[in-house]
Amino acid sequence: MTSAPAPVSDTSARLAPPVGLLAELTHRCPLQCPYCSNPLELERAKDELPTDVWQRVFQDAADLGVLQLHLSGGEPAVRTDLEALVAHGAGAGLYTNLITSGVTLNESRLHALRDAGLAHVQISLQDVDAANADRLAHYEGAHAKKLRLAEAVRKTGLALTLNAPIHRHNVMRTADFIDLAVAAGARRLEIAHVQYYGWALANRAALMPTRAQMDESIAIVEEARVRLKGILTIDLVVPDYYAIRPKPCMGGWGRGLITITPSGKAMPCHAAATIPGLLFDNVRDRPLAEIWTSSAAFAQFRGTDWMLEPCRSCDLRERDWGGCRCQALAFTGDARNADPACAKSGWHAAFTAAAAAEASAEPPPFRFRRMAAP
Amino acid sequence: MTAPKRAIIDSASRPRLAPSTMLREDKARGGWIILAPERVFTPDAVAVEVLHLCDGVRNCAEIAQRLAATYEAETDVILADIVPLLQDLADKGVIAA
């Protein structure tokens, strides 16, 4: 990115409160999925926020108008204070979601979390084929543990979502994921084609499906949505490398979501640290309400004043907000450019061609998600 | 486990908020909201009033009678309005019956 500061207008007077808070409680995780959305530079346990700071942040979030709290990671259940954190979030009136790999939680902890006020559990699945799932997670027996936890969640009466990150090694089993979700008693399923940030970007050539595979998976979801109306809600995330218009990333920069990293950095999206020059505030140092209205990182790409062409004069600029800043930076070298997923971007043809070339070549070996040696 | 079925709402259904669904006031923005997994719904005033009557005990006919008394309207007309409303909310997983 160039160093020229984007023009920032004072939007604080008419700024709506955020809807969601994504709390990355830790970057520790027993799984090593090569498409992890965490940054390549993972934060360490010694830098994690203590219980009382998280609790203050949750109360501040509720006071600010946040409605949904997403407890994520890494694997949030490696935090031994998870029950206390859930109790505090729920007590503050937040709808509290747990986003888990499902391999470390047992039934008694699950009951404690429910009693603490947890509303919803989302379990990720790597595949429906156990051997392939365990290979992707680089964890022997992970799949069986996940299915056991899903059954335990259903028995507690908590809402259950299954999340299936989709790529070239499991896209052909989209229909099986749907069958599995129904059989497991989930009311919601995410068929989420991998988004290429963090570890997924590093593994893009190993993961990218072909256009035909993507199209088939979309057709399968559309058929199942009709057949399973009232039984299973299926949310579909498509890989934007084959899109014509970009996704409204995060619903627009600094418009609806705050992400807090394990060490307390407040970011407009979980990949924002890849953009050099952004100044992030830490929740240890500054109240959340002030971060929302005044943090430099949130102001940088909020609204439309920062946009270059073709976004600046585009009729859709307040619908897709120019797409994803991180993807614009990664592919064009300037975070202010249009997301290359947009057909109006000068980089779009190269962007799509890169995906098609990788998808039709032999997949390289995975680079598994691991902490670097200290 | 038996195969899950779609809940079909009719006058005899006894709707209630689904487990893990919350209906609450939104003090920061005003009005009422429904919180559900990865969803925030903003029901209109009529839907909020109907949802407050969905206690799992009253059936739809009884809910319609209550509203008819309040609004001095025909019970059948109200029932014909609230059944599709509740069916839509059931399909979204907001209510169970």
Side-chain angles (χ1 to χ4, degrees):
Chain A
M1 181 178 162
T2 60
S3 57
V8 176
S9 59
D10 179 18
T11 53
S12 56
R14 53 194 168 83
L15 184 62
V19 173
L21 184 81
L22 174 64
E24 291 182 344
L25 298 180
T26 178
H27 278 163
R28 290 174 282 154
C29 185
L31 305 190
Q32 300 181 17
C33 307
Y35 47 74
C36 183
S37 62
N38 285 159
L40 294 171
E41 208 166 304
L42 296 165
E43 294 183 358
R44 295 179 182 280
K46 67 176 173 55
D47 299 321
E48 289 175 9
L49 293 180
T51 311
D52 62 318
V53 175
W54 277 121
Q55 289 177 330
R56 171 175 61 74
V57 168
F58 297 166
Q59 185 61 55
D60 287 353
D63 294 344
L64 180 58
V66 167
L67 303 172
Q68 297 239 5
L69 172 63
H70 311 278
L71 300 174
S72 179
E75 169 49 56
V78 306
R79 294 269 310 211
T80 53
D81 58 355
L82 182 61
E83 291 83 344
L85 295 176
V86 166
H88 210 86
L94 298 168
Y95 188 90
T96 303
N97 303 279
L98 179 66
I99 299 165
T100 179
S101 67
V103 299
T104 61
L105 270 179
N106 59 28
E107 213 160 326
S108 70
R109 255 193 116 188
L110 187 66
H111 288 159
L113 291 167
R114 179 198 57 193
D115 296 345
L118 185 67
H120 167 227
V121 179
Q122 173 175 313
I123 302 172
S124 65
L125 295 176
Q126 279 60 45
D127 204 335
V128 286
D129 175 86
N132 202 41
D134 292 354
R135 180 179 73 89
L136 286 157
H138 210 271
Y139 186 109
E140 185 84 26
H143 188 67
K145 286 186 171 183
K146 287 160 184 275
L147 295 185
R148 275 201 297 278
L149 184 70
E151 172 69 4
V153 170
R154 193 184 60 76
K155 283 187 184 161
T156 61
L158 288 162
L160 172 66
T161 288
L162 295 180
N163 163 270
I166 300 291
H167 46 75
R168 68 192 291 175
H169 301 278
N170 65 10
V171 63
M172 64 295 280
R173 287 183 284 280
T174 301
D176 302 298
F177 273 117
I178 295 167
D179 292 347
L180 189 157
V182 173
R187 289 299 306 262
R188 189 171 162 273
L189 170 67
E190 294 182 355
I191 294 289
H193 277 269
V194 166
Q195 303 294 298
Y196 293 93
Y197 310 107
W199 292 85
L201 183 58
N203 282 292
R204 194 181 66 186
L207 295 166
M208 185 67 71
T210 65
R211 174 84 199 223
Q213 286 175 320
M214 180 195 73
D215 287 345
E216 193 189 344
S217 72
I218 292 171
I220 287 167
V221 168
E222 284 173 353
E223 179 278 325
R225 278 176 171 163
V226 176
R227 175 168 51 87
L228 297 171
K229 185 175 185 178
I231 295 169
L232 182 71
T233 299
I234 308 176
D235 283 347
L236 175 68
V237 180
V238 299
D240 48 12
Y241 277 72
Y242 298 122
I244 296 170
R245 294 284 168 258
K247 60 182 177 288
C249 200
M250 300 293 125
W253 186 274
R255 289 182 61 78
L257 188 79
I258 302 176
T259 295
I260 312 284
T261 74
S263 68
K265 268 189 287 183
M267 310 201 299
C269 102
H270 55 272
T274 61
I275 301 178
L278 285 184
L279 294 174
F280 300 110
D281 283 301
N282 194 295
V283 293
R284 292 181 199 255
D285 311 324
R286 211 172 175 191
L288 197 66
E290 207 179 294
I291 289 175
W292 178 245
T293 53
S294 309
S295 169
F298 281 80
Q300 186 85 35
F301 301 113
R302 190 178 261 150
T304 56
D305 289 350
W306 55 271
M307 287 179 174
L308 306 176
E309 292 297 348
C311 296
R312 184 176 277 276
S313 62
C314 180
D315 290 345
L316 302 174
R317 65 186 179 279
E318 292 198 343
R319 194 173 305 166
D320 60 37
W321 305 101
C324 169
R325 296 307 89 229
C326 306
Q327 193 149 274
L329 173 78
F331 210 85
T332 77
D334 188 336
R336 296 171 303 167
N337 278 326
D339 186 332
C342 183
K344 292 183 177 182
S345 161
W347 283 268
H348 182 70
F351 181 74
T352 305
E358 288 175 354
S360 60
E362 274 299 302
F366 292 132
R367 179 179 167 194
F368 286 101
R369 173 206 193 274
R370 283 168 198 161
M371 293 236 179
Chain B
M1 183 184 166
T2 53
K5 285 202 182 81
R6 179 186 180 202
I8 300 297
I9 306 296
D10 60 24
S11 62
S13 304
R14 298 178 193 280
R16 63 185 187 281
L17 276 183
S20 297
T21 297
M22 282 166 52
L23 173 69
R24 74 162 172 84
E25 266 190 287
D26 181 356
K27 292 202 179 89
R29 298 166 193 80
W32 286 78
I33 46 167
I34 299 165
L35 295 170
E38 303 294 328
R39 296 280 194 283
V40 179
F41 300 102
T42 49
D44 63 21
V46 175
V48 171
E49 197 161 351
V50 173
L51 283 166
H52 278 125
L53 295 172
C54 292
D55 58 4
V57 178
R58 292 184 190 93
N59 65 30
C60 288
E62 289 159 345
I63 292 170
Q65 276 166 17
R66 286 274 297 243
L67 293 169
T70 308
Y71 292 101
E72 297 178 0
E74 293 291 327
T75 302
D76 288 352
V77 174
I78 292 193
L79 188 63
D81 281 344
I82 66 171
V83 166
L85 169 74
L86 291 169
Q87 182 67 59
D88 181 53
L89 290 171
D91 287 340
K92 288 173 175 158
V94 170
I95 63 157

